């Protein structure tokens, strides 16, 4: 069993839709959770970071963590074609510096 | 602020040949990472440097891969000899804070 599971998609939604991206994990030591966005032929870039259960909002993006269920989500409101990319969840244990990434979900926002 | 620089951007080699990738991190970032990203997968950490010392190389295939970070700045990753399964994008990242890693554009390696 992989430490981090993420549906690879692709996920296709119309412009303006609310997008929900999810990851599950098995390692209870993971305490820090991140979402990275990766455009085609580019390196990943950090979108959101959180370490507590609950919601964290940043503009059109909301990161949600449920540590009891080992489940994290990223919601994108009013999705735009420029949001079309691969979204990677990443996690790390408390004192560790190593990030463990999910496989990424490819999102396509259509006009 | 200049980002993480990597070269070359693309490389095609035959199996059993050797190849080297170069990375220049963001100025002042003490931590440097090399990741391997196979198509359809997330990045997998190969090696992490703190200044010029190795912090984690547990997933580096040491029989064929080597990396160094001279003077705690630039880094090179070498594969010798390359195998077909080494075809991937090799990403370099640097950070001041662990969770906020800044990635370069990557080197796309094709081994034929």
């Amino acid at each position: 069993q992989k430490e981090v599971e993420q549906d690879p998609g692709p996920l296709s939604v119309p412009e303006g839709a609310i997008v929900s991206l999810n990851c599950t994990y098995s390692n209870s030591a993971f305490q820090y959770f991140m979402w990275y966005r990766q455009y085609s032929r580019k390196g990943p870039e950090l979108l959101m970071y959180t370490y507590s259960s609950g919601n964290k909002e940043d503009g059109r993006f909301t990161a949600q963590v449920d540590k009891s269920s080992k489940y994290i989500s990223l919601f994108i409101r009013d999705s735009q074609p420029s949001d079309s990319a691969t979204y990677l969840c990443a996690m790390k244990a408390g004192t560790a510096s190593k990030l463990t990434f999910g496989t990424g979900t490819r999102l396509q926002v259509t006009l | 602020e200049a980002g993480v620089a990597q070269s070359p951007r693309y490389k095609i080699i035959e199996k059993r040949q050797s190849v080297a990738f170069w990375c220049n991190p963001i100025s002042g970032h003490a931590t440097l990472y090399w990741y391997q990203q196979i198509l359809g997968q997330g990045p997998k950490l190969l090696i992490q440097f703190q200044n010029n010392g190795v912090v984690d190389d547990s997933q580096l295939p040491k029989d064929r891969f080597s990396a160094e970070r001279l003077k705690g700045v630039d880094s090179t990753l070498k594969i010798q000899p390359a195998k077909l399964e080494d075809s991937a994008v090799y990403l370099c990242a640097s950070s001041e804070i662990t969770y906020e890693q800044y990635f370069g554009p990557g080197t796309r390696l094709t081994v034929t």
Side-chain angles (χ1 to χ4, degrees):
Chain A
Q1 181 188 11
K2 291 182 180 179
E3 283 190 292
V4 180
E5 299 276 2
Q6 186 176 7
D7 187 334
L11 180 62
S12 183
V13 302
E15 182 179 11
I18 296 175
V19 176
S20 173
L21 304 166
N22 310 294
C23 287
T24 60
Y25 62 97
S26 58
N27 188 344
S28 300
F30 289 145
Q31 295 180 25
Y32 297 85
F33 306 92
M34 290 129 273
W35 286 95
Y36 280 79
R37 177 175 62 195
Q38 185 173 25
Y39 290 113
S40 180
R41 298 188 182 276
K42 301 282 188 182
E45 58 178 333
L46 181 67
L47 267 182
M48 301 280 291
Y49 157 76
T50 183
Y51 58 85
S52 56
S53 284
N55 293 352
K56 181 178 181 180
E57 193 172 313
D58 184 1
R60 295 185 295 111
F61 299 90
T62 299
Q64 188 176 81
V65 174
D66 182 348
K67 290 186 179 181
S68 62
S69 302
K70 296 190 179 66
Y71 189 89
I72 69 170
S73 300
L74 177 71
F75 299 96
I76 307 174
R77 290 185 298 280
D78 187 24
S79 54
Q80 303 295 310
S82 58
D83 295 327
S84 298
T86 295
Y87 290 80
L88 297 152
C89 63
M91 310 179 186
K92 81 175 196 78
T95 56
S97 53
K98 173 186 171 181
L99 295 185
T100 301
F101 284 86
T103 57
T105 298
R106 189 157 61 91
L107 172 66
Q108 181 73 37
V109 181
T110 58
L111 290 169
Chain B
E1 169 181 84
V4 176
Q6 289 188 249
S7 67
R9 291 295 312 276
Y10 305 91
K11 191 74 177 178
I12 301 174
I13 62 172
E14 295 182 351
K15 60 184 178 184
R16 292 188 290 274
Q17 286 187 323
S18 62
V19 64
F21 313 127
W22 173 82
C23 172
N24 182 238
I26 292 173
S27 178
H29 282 190
T31 309
L32 184 147
Y33 314 79
W34 282 103
Y35 288 89
Q36 180 193 60
Q37 187 174 24
I38 292 172
L39 186 64
Q41 297 183 21
K44 182 184 84 171
L45 180 68
L46 291 175
I47 189 166
Q48 177 186 339
F49 292 94
Q50 181 76 21
N51 296 308
N52 59 353
V54 175
V55 173
D56 185 348
D57 64 355
S58 58
Q59 298 192 91
L60 186 74
K62 298 180 186 65
D63 57 336
R64 297 184 301 107
F65 286 64
S66 64
E68 62 180 3
R69 188 180 185 195
L70 299 176
K71 300 180 182 178
V73 181
D74 293 8
S75 178
T76 56
L77 176 69
K78 297 179 181 177
I79 307 175
Q80 181 179 17
K83 293 185 175 182
L84 295 176
E85 59 261 36
D86 298 331
S87 294
V89 175
Y90 290 84
L91 295 162
C92 179
S94 69
S95 72
E96 286 181 299
I97 305 169
T98 303
Y99 65 81
E100 190 163 12
Q101 298 183 17
Y102 293 83
F103 285 81
T107 296
R108 185 173 298 267
L109 173 68
T110 302
V111 182
T112 63

